[in-house]
């Protein structure tokens, strides 16, 4: 039976550490760190996620600003709002909530963010610095996974890690971080994706499987070897007859994988809470760089 990589508990520990740091800062007479978020349009999931970030800021003692913009705003107007945040010395870090409405050039918007305030870690400069193993803001989800592995003392050195998915937000950065020098890291990494034939051939050989595909219950127990470490990044709303009308499912079939794995993340309560905590951590790091 697998041990649980409990992101809910660890994220609370990390937020408590951040809160203690903020108390020291404010007791010294300085302003607390400040995170801003830009939300364009009325995407329900995005609204819920941004609201949770505002709540996290309050919990750790950060200042926060939520800029709600209509879907009808022009790209130039959005770029102007981003520039205002870049220029505002009271804002330490900010995010533009993705996905943006289809009429926006997402790459152009991300590149407009000052890399020193890019606490989502999506700017090409931060991505490039991460790939070169230089100091950089790490994308929050991969950062959270690395913390889960490190703080639970999961051995990664010399292990074979298979990453399912190649997105810029999770799959690709995870492959870079897991193969980087250090702990966690020093793994041999294979990336598989939607065009890889017979993914199970790879996962059956893996010591660590990180699944970020967005397909509920994709990874099943017969696709892994005994003792594998399983990290489930997926979270999909699946309609049902409950009072909510849906439930959340990960990319891993927990019931069939858990008896074979050595460690496994639950959904919910695994990677998700860690992503939120690492956004707070990145904001604190941005603040500390400003006040060096």
């Amino acid at each position: 039976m697998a041990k649980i990589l409990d992101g809910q508990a660890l994220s609370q520990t990390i937020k408590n550490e951040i809160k203690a740091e903020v108390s020291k800062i404010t007791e010294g007479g300085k302003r607390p760190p400040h995170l801003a978020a830009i939300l364009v349009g009325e995407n329900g999931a995005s609204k819920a996620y941004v609201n949770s970030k505002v709540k996290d800021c309050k919990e750790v003692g950060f200042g926060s600003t939520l800029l709600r913009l209509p879907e009808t705003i022009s790209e130039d107007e959005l770029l102007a709002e981003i520039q205002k945040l870049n220029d505002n010395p009271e804002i330490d870090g900010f995010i533009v909530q993705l996905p943006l409405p289809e009429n926006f050039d997402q790459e152009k918007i991300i590149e407009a963010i000052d890399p020193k305030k890019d606490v989502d870690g999506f700017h090409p400069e931060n991505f490039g610095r991460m790939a070169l193993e230089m100091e950089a803001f790490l994308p929050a989800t991969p950062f959270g996974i690395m913390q889960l592995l490190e703080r639970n003392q999961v051995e990664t050195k010399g292990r074979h890690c298979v990453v399912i998915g190649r997105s810029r937000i999770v799959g690709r950065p995870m492959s870079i971080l897991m193969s980087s020098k250090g702990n966690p890291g020093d793994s041999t990494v294979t990336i598989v994706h939607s065009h890889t034939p017979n993914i199970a051939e790879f996962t059956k050989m893996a010591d660590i499987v990180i699944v970020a595909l967005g397909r509920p219950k994709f990874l099943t127990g017969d696709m892994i070897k005994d003792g594998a470490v399983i990290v489930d990044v997926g979270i999909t709303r699946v309609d049902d007859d409950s009072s909510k009308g849906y439930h959340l499912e990960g990319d891993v079939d927990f019931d069939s994988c858990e008896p074979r794995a050595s460690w496994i993340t639950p959904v919910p309560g695994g990677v998700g809470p860690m992503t939120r905590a690492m956004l707070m951590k990145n904001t604190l790091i941005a603040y500390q760089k400003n006040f060096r």
Side-chain angles (χ1 to χ4, degrees):
M1 186 176 284
K3 297 178 190 171
I4 298 297
L5 288 165
D6 188 343
Q8 196 70 53
L10 180 55
S11 68
Q12 193 58 58
T13 298
I14 290 168
K15 285 192 284 186
N16 290 343
E17 292 168 1
I18 295 168
K19 188 176 180 179
E21 281 290 319
V22 174
S23 293
K24 284 186 204 167
I25 289 166
T26 53
E27 284 164 12
K30 293 178 181 173
R31 68 164 178 83
H34 194 118
L35 173 69
I38 295 177
L39 178 62
V40 181
E42 296 294 322
N43 180 297
S46 291
K47 281 163 79 172
Y49 192 48
V50 167
N51 287 336
S52 70
K53 289 168 182 172
V54 171
K55 185 180 166 192
D56 289 336
C57 284
K58 189 174 182 183
E59 185 181 341
V60 301
F62 287 2
S64 67
T65 299
L66 174 53
L67 199 58
R68 292 177 179 271
L69 302 173
E71 199 164 323
T72 52
I73 193 172
S74 72
E75 192 172 88
D76 285 344
E77 287 170 319
L78 176 55
L79 290 168
E81 293 296 339
I82 289 171
Q83 195 55 49
K84 284 181 197 171
L85 295 178
N86 285 338
D87 294 338
N88 186 343
E90 300 293 306
I91 302 289
D92 300 295
F94 69 94
I95 64 156
V96 177
Q97 183 62 40
L98 303 177
L100 288 165
E102 287 181 6
N103 52 311
F104 291 93
D105 181 343
Q106 191 164 290
E107 296 303 321
K108 190 176 179 182
I109 300 304
I110 290 170
E111 287 185 36
I113 299 169
D114 182 343
K116 295 184 184 67
K117 296 190 177 189
D118 168 41
V119 288
D120 255 341
F122 294 162
H123 192 284
E125 183 175 316
N126 279 314
F127 198 99
R129 291 178 67 87
M130 173 188 66
L132 294 168
E133 299 186 35
M134 297 166 70
E135 190 179 86
F137 287 118
L138 302 182
T141 298
F143 192 6
I145 293 168
M146 297 301 275
Q147 286 288 301
L148 267 176
L149 296 174
E150 181 179 350
R151 296 202 188 204
N152 285 285
Q153 299 180 323
V154 176
E155 184 60 66
T156 61
K157 184 178 182 180
R159 300 292 169 91
H160 181 205
C161 174
V162 169
V163 179
I164 306 178
R166 53 181 171 177
S167 77
R168 64 183 294 169
I169 295 172
V170 182
R172 219 171 278 281
M174 276 316 308
S175 70
I176 292 167
L177 292 169
M178 289 298 288
S179 62
S180 294
K181 293 174 186 168
N183 177 44
D186 285 328
S187 293
T188 299
V189 179
T190 302
I191 298 185
V192 297
H193 46 78
S194 56
H195 293 284
T196 304
N198 200 357
I199 285 174
E201 275 185 21
F202 298 90
T203 56
K204 282 176 182 174
M205 297 188 296
D207 303 302
I208 302 165
V209 185
I210 299 169
V211 198
L213 202 60
R215 285 172 59 183
K217 296 188 177 182
F218 174 81
L219 188 79
T220 52
D222 60 355
M223 294 172 69
I224 64 170
K225 71 178 185 181
D226 289 337
V229 176
I230 308 298
V231 178
D232 187 352
V233 185
I235 190 156
T236 303
R237 286 188 181 201
V238 177
D239 293 338
D240 62 19
D241 297 327
S242 68
S243 56
K244 270 196 205 172
Y246 69 90
H247 63 278
L248 299 175
E249 279 187 8
D251 289 355
V252 172
D253 180 19
F254 187 92
D255 291 344
S256 65
C257 288
E258 188 267 344
R260 301 195 68 181
S262 57
W263 290 92
I264 192 167
T265 58
V267 174
V271 173
M274 292 300 295
T275 298
R276 287 169 54 183
M278 291 305 103
L279 184 67
M280 300 298 110
K281 183 75 172 173
N282 274 346
T283 303
L284 178 61
I285 292 167
Y287 174 91
Q288 290 166 335
K289 284 180 178 177
N290 286 340
F291 285 91
R292 268 181 185 169

